[in-house]
């Protein structure tokens, strides 16, 4: 019988955060004219137990994972494992019939902030998906000096994600301002007898939430934050599903 303590990693400090990205480079039609993008694999996300989340996806994510808050900025994450392993990635593929977080679907593209505070579309040059012109494998990023539909779609997705990130940052700041977050941990014993503890995360305190002033409740209702909190609270029941998934995979490995 073994014991293992795991802590969900903190979410990135920015929408272009470092998690998974090793060498983000702004795309330029002249420098990257021959670059291509190979079909994607999620093997890069196989060794983490938490993925950053934005509030626009809380409704879908809550059906599959616990949504928790971590770090000084109370950044939301979805818990995808109990140990330091993603229970939803197998052989580089995401689990069927399970929501894939937007942070993963954005990769290897990302917005990086320029000196003038505008955002530039970049991609992780160190990603296995990126073909730096060594062959014709993959879809081109540029044709005749112009961005392809692949790049245009990535630009739109990253723009949407960045807007969601900013709304999420405001949401987390409001939770902290109202002192709604409390630290929690869970202790789990698998059917095999293996014990695990997950700590270092925060959740909304239901009693404090119920005592919010009417003016704040109305304002949060109108901007959708009440729904986000309810999605978060309902998602905590998904810890049981994580335990079952951990047990099933441990049994299969044995």
């Amino acid at each position: 019988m073994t014991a293992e303590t795991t802590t969900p990693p903190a979410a990135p400090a920015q929408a272009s955060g470092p998690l998974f990205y090793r060498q983000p480079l702004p795309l330029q039609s002249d420098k990257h004219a021959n670059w291509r993008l190979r079909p994607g694999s999620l093997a890069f996300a196989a060794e983490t137990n938490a993925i950053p989340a934005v509030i626009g996806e809380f409704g879908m994510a809550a059906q599959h994972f616990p949504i928790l808050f971590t770090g000084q900025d109370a950044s939301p994450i979805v818990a995808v494992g109990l140990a330091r392993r993603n229970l939803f990635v197998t052989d580089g593929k995401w689990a069927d019939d399970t929501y894939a977080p937007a942070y993963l679907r954005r990769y290897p593209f990302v917005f990086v902030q320029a000196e003038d505070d505008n955002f530039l579309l970049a991609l992780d040059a160190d990603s296995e998906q990126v073909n730096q012109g060594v062959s014709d494998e993959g879809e081109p990023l540029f044709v005749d000096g112009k961005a392809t539909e692949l790049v245009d779609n990535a630009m739109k997705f990253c723009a949407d994600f960045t807007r969601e990130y900013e709304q999420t940052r405001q949401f987390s700041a409001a939770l902290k301002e109202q002192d709604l977050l409390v630290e929690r941990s869970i202790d789990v014993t698998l059917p095999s007898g293996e014990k695990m503890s997950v700590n270092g995360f925060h959740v909304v305190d239901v009693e404090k939430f119920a005592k919010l002033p009417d003016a704040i409740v109305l304002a949060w209702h109108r901007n959708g934050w009440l729904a986000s909190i309810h999605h978060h609270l309902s998602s905590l029941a998904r810890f049981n599903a994580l335990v079952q998934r951990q047990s099933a995979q441990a049994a299969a490995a044995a």
Side-chain angles (χ1 to χ4, degrees), residues 50-161:
I51 307 293
V54 289
I55 56 175
E57 62 185 338
F58 274 23
M60 288 295 297
Q63 300 177 41
H64 302 275
F65 326 100
I67 300 171
L68 312 172
F69 298 91
T70 66
Q72 293 184 346
D73 294 332
S75 299
I77 56 95
V78 293
V80 294
L82 298 177
R84 292 285 182 183
R85 182 174 173 275
N86 191 333
L87 296 174
F88 297 88
V89 173
T90 304
D91 297 329
K93 296 181 180 180
W94 196 256
D96 292 336
D97 301 323
T98 304
Y99 176 76
Y103 192 93
L104 297 184
R105 290 182 279 117
R106 180 182 63 165
Y107 187 85
F109 293 99
V110 66
F111 268 178
V112 295
Q113 201 160 16
E115 293 181 358
D116 58 3
D117 289 335
N118 287 321
F119 288 99
L120 302 174
L121 183 66
L123 86 169
D124 186 357
D126 202 30
S127 168
E128 294 180 356
Q129 292 179 244
V130 177
N131 173 2
Q132 298 187 15
V134 298
S135 70
D136 292 333
E137 182 184 8
E139 295 185 51
L141 300 177
F142 299 96
V143 173
D144 297 330
K146 295 183 179 180
T148 62
E149 184 178 1
L150 172 65
V151 173
D152 289 340
N153 290 339
M155 177 73 78
K156 182 180 184 303
F157 192 96
C158 288
D160 290 343
F161 186 91

Side-chain angles (χ1 to χ4, degrees), residues 19-40:
L19 184 62
F20 305 138
Y21 293 86
R22 293 172 290 190
Q23 191 183 359
L25 293 179
L27 279 178
Q28 296 177 287
S29 59
D30 53 348
K31 291 184 178 180
H32 309 121
N34 298 320
W35 284 27
R36 292 172 171 266
L37 195 67
R38 302 183 181 98

Side-chain angles (χ1 to χ4, degrees), residues 178 212-221 226:
Q178 296 301 320
L212 279 177
D214 290 347
I216 291 179
V217 171
L218 179 58
W220 287 13
H221 168 69
L226 286 189

